[in-house]
Amino acid sequence: MTLLQHAMRLRAMEIAQGLDSNVPWESVLAQIITWDHQIAKGHGRCEADDAARICVAALEATRLDNLYGTVRAGGYEVRRRGDSFRIRHRWNPAIEAADSFLEHAAIPAELPEITSVEHAWIKNLPQTSRGFPPRDVLEAATRRARAAIGAYRDALPEGNLPDLFQLDDGLTVGHAVDVLSVVMGFAELHESATRLLKRTDAALARIPRTRLLEMTAEILPTVPPKCIDTTIERLTFTAGRSARISPLAELEGTIILCPPLITPRATDAIILRGAAYDPGRYGPIGQRQGNRAVRWKDWLGQIPGVLVAERLRARRQDRAAAGDLDVVAVHPQQRRGVCFEIKWPIDAISLPEVTKIEDWMSAAASQLNRLRAELMSGVAVVDMPKGWPDFSEITWTWAVATPQQLCLRPLQFNEIYGTSFRYMACHGEPRSLDDVVNALVSPDLPVQGVDFQIDAVDFLLGRQRVVLDAIGLAREGWMPRPWR
């Protein structure tokens, strides 16, 4: 509690003074919560100086973890220069810049502002600082949070999970979003108080777990209590979980809410990863999540004169299965085709999850390359749909695709390309299959020195000085050129 209070107080002081220290507060808070479950604690009072040193250590740990993971994956080149380590990008930084621009473009233009009911309660908070928000204030905050979540979800070019999407035991995405809205609304009241009143003591929200469940049930009478319990349990951090997915810290029956960790930015990912904590239950959910790849078929089906199919089975001469062509688009007159190996994982929130998706794409490229070799050599054949040209008559382009993440790590096979639905869709509606092929082979990416620049960030890790390449984005933004 002392560590979280100290970290949130420092952040609140930044807000009050209008400063921006570029401290990744979400990562620092997540590290503190994780450490609390990993490291044995001593006895006695935690003094302010000790708390400050531990908060600095948490910042260093997040930086070190990110460096370690990216260096191991091959993304950075490290050199010792004098008294410092110089760390530079090894992969094409334009791809990371493109993903950053596309992520920023997916932020909704308008979000609901604080309501008069909430504002009035916050204004009187100095006199009732230990009072619990009344029901009308909590309901207003919940509605505002629900609207913000909806705005973020609706702004995603790759789409979002429908509210009726089944998770498990009767829990739907809509139920989980409703419960998350209550939690987020309560946290947002404290965040708004911090910003409006410049009060550091309001930065951290606390509530007994039983009261949180009662409050949520009162505000959401149509959501089954079991669904409320399940969602709150999945949002509560325990050993082995991620504080980005389970942002609620529990201490002796009290739930602690750190507002920076509870945002509307990645709601679907939080809900899905929360369900994925139990692999035995997640299997059917993951299958339904994978079925969202049909968006590629629908998108390619807009192209005039193009035929689209999915899951075309390939077989070897002995009739053994060789694999599937996930999504295939063919222009029969031009004898040109595109074959996509589709991966639709849960969207990444943290760097380790980004790296895991990179691994998925590399594995998918290996799978696609093997199948391509068998089909090109005649070891395997695929029965094309009725009325289509034979497979051997078509000039093929091969690609691996995800919902929103471009592949930073170069794929290991020639003429197998990586892309994302978000990137392709941001070009606009394709006019021809040539548009799709050209975007795969020669992607339109931000230009260094025009759309972004490489800055050097200097910081200490313990006694070691680190100079790290960091991407700085141009203020005017960038988007892929629309197809004309």
Side-chain angles (χ1 to χ4, degrees):
M1 177 70 79
T2 301
L3 295 177
L4 291 177
Q5 285 176 329
H6 188 86
M8 290 297 291
R9 190 174 296 115
L10 291 175
R11 176 177 176 272
M13 290 169 62
E14 279 189 6
I15 294 172
Q17 297 173 26
L19 301 176
D20 184 4
S21 64
N22 292 320
V23 172
W25 288 109
E26 290 179 44
S27 298
V28 171
L29 294 166
Q31 187 67 67
I32 291 172
I33 293 172
T34 302
W35 275 350
D36 185 69
H37 287 72
Q38 289 180 340
I39 301 174
K41 293 177 284 294
H43 301 281
R45 178 183 175 85
C46 181
E47 301 295 340
D49 289 346
D50 293 330
R53 283 196 291 270
I54 295 173
C55 287
V56 171
L59 173 60
E60 291 182 349
T62 60
R63 286 171 168 168
L64 185 59
D65 285 347
N66 289 343
L67 288 176
Y68 180 70
T70 308
V71 169
R72 284 199 63 185
Y76 285 139
E77 178 184 72
V78 183
R79 293 287 184 271
R80 183 67 184 259
R81 292 188 176 178
D83 63 346
S84 65
F85 287 96
R86 186 66 176 95
I87 302 178
R88 294 187 180 278
H89 291 290
R90 179 172 285 166
W91 300 331
N92 183 2
I95 297 176
E96 185 173 351
D99 260 350
S100 297
F101 277 118
L102 293 174
E103 182 180 1
H104 188 268
I107 297 174
E110 295 184 5
L111 291 173
E113 297 182 355
I114 188 169
T115 63
S116 58
V117 174
E118 297 170 88
H119 193 279
W121 180 78
I122 291 171
K123 185 178 179 181
N124 295 320
L125 191 60
Q127 289 76 38
T128 60
S129 60
R130 295 186 181 277
F132 195 78
R135 180 166 176 169
D136 61 332
V137 175
L138 288 169
E139 288 178 339
T142 297
R143 286 193 297 270
R144 181 160 66 100
R146 187 64 163 86
I149 289 173
Y152 269 92
R153 297 177 74 215
D154 291 343
L156 297 175
E158 64 276 11
N160 55 60
L161 295 171
D163 282 353
L164 294 179
F165 185 96
Q166 291 289 326
L167 296 170
D168 52 71
D169 291 341
L171 177 65
T172 66
V173 166
H175 292 149
V177 168
D178 286 340
V179 175
L180 188 57
S181 298
V182 176
V183 174
M184 192 178 300
F186 183 67
E188 181 59 25
L189 284 172
H190 287 261
E191 177 77 350
S192 298
T194 301
R195 294 184 178 277
L196 292 174
L197 303 178
K198 296 181 171 42
R199 282 185 46 173
T200 60
D201 62 314
L204 199 67
R206 286 173 286 177
I207 181 173
R209 184 184 187 87
T210 53
R211 183 69 186 97
L212 176 61
L213 293 171
E214 292 170 356
M215 174 186 80
T216 307
E218 291 171 4
I219 296 176
L220 304 174
T222 61
V223 176
K226 184 178 180 180
C227 294
I228 295 174
D229 292 347
T230 298
T231 305
I232 295 296
E233 190 280 326
R234 290 176 179 175
L235 290 173
T236 304
F237 184 89
T238 61
R241 294 185 175 183
S242 165
R244 296 296 188 90
I245 309 302
S246 300
L248 306 183
E250 185 168 10
L251 178 64
E252 297 177 351
T254 295
I255 296 293
I256 307 167
L257 300 88
C258 303
L261 285 173
I262 307 170
T263 72
R265 216 171 42 240
T267 304
D268 286 8
I270 289 173
I271 292 170
L272 285 173
R273 289 193 183 276
Y277 284 139
D278 185 345
R281 291 176 177 268
Y282 186 70
I285 301 172
Q287 184 175 3
R288 289 192 293 274
Q289 160 76 351
N291 291 338
R292 298 173 67 194
V294 72
R295 288 187 63 84
W296 278 101
K297 180 183 177 183
D298 296 340
W299 183 75
L300 291 164
Q302 303 175 92
I303 305 173
V306 168
L307 305 175
V308 185
E310 59 180 341
R311 296 175 182 170
L312 298 182
R313 294 183 178 179
R315 295 188 181 277
R316 301 186 180 97
Q317 293 180 358
D318 61 0
R319 305 304 295 170
D324 292 340
L325 304 181
D326 286 348
V327 176
V328 174
V330 170
H331 195 293
Q333 282 72 43
Q334 297 176 356
R335 295 296 197 265
R336 192 166 197 180
V338 180
C339 179
F340 285 97
E341 177 70 20
I342 306 296
K343 297 298 179 186
W344 206 281
I346 303 173
D347 298 330
I349 297 177
S350 63
L351 185 58
E353 293 161 3
V354 171
T355 302
K356 186 174 181 180
I357 292 177
E358 297 271 340
D359 292 341
W360 276 39
M361 294 189 75
S362 293
S366 295
Q367 177 182 337
L368 187 60
N369 182 64
R370 178 196 56 77
L371 183 56
R372 176 178 65 171
E374 292 192 27
L375 291 170
M376 292 300 188
S377 66
V379 171
V381 295
V382 59
D383 293 329
M384 305 296 281
K386 186 177 180 179
W388 286 40
D390 288 340
F391 180 88
S392 60
E393 297 175 355
I394 300 169
T395 301
W396 290 99
T397 301
W398 306 81
V400 177
T402 68
Q404 64 172 232
Q405 180 179 318
L406 294 173
C407 192
L408 307 183
R409 183 191 306 165
L411 295 178
Q412 64 272 42
F413 301 103
N414 291 331
E415 298 184 344
I416 291 183
Y417 307 98
T419 193
S420 72
F421 187 90
R422 176 179 289 188
Y423 172 79
M424 298 296 280
C426 282
H427 287 86
E429 185 175 316
R431 308 163 307 163
S432 67
L433 199 58
D434 286 344
D435 284 340
V436 176
V437 171
N438 292 337
L440 292 171
V441 176
S442 302
D444 176 25
L445 296 173
V447 177
Q448 186 173 341
V450 177
D451 303 305
F452 72 96
Q453 69 278 345
I454 302 298
D455 300 323
V457 177
D458 192 325
F459 56 87
L460 291 176
L461 285 178
R463 297 181 179 179
Q464 299 297 325
R465 182 168 171 263
V466 174
V467 182
L468 172 67
D469 274 0
I471 296 174
L473 305 180
R475 290 185 178 180
E476 57 270 21
W478 166 91
M479 287 292 285
R481 288 188 296 270
W483 285 309
R484 297 184 179 86

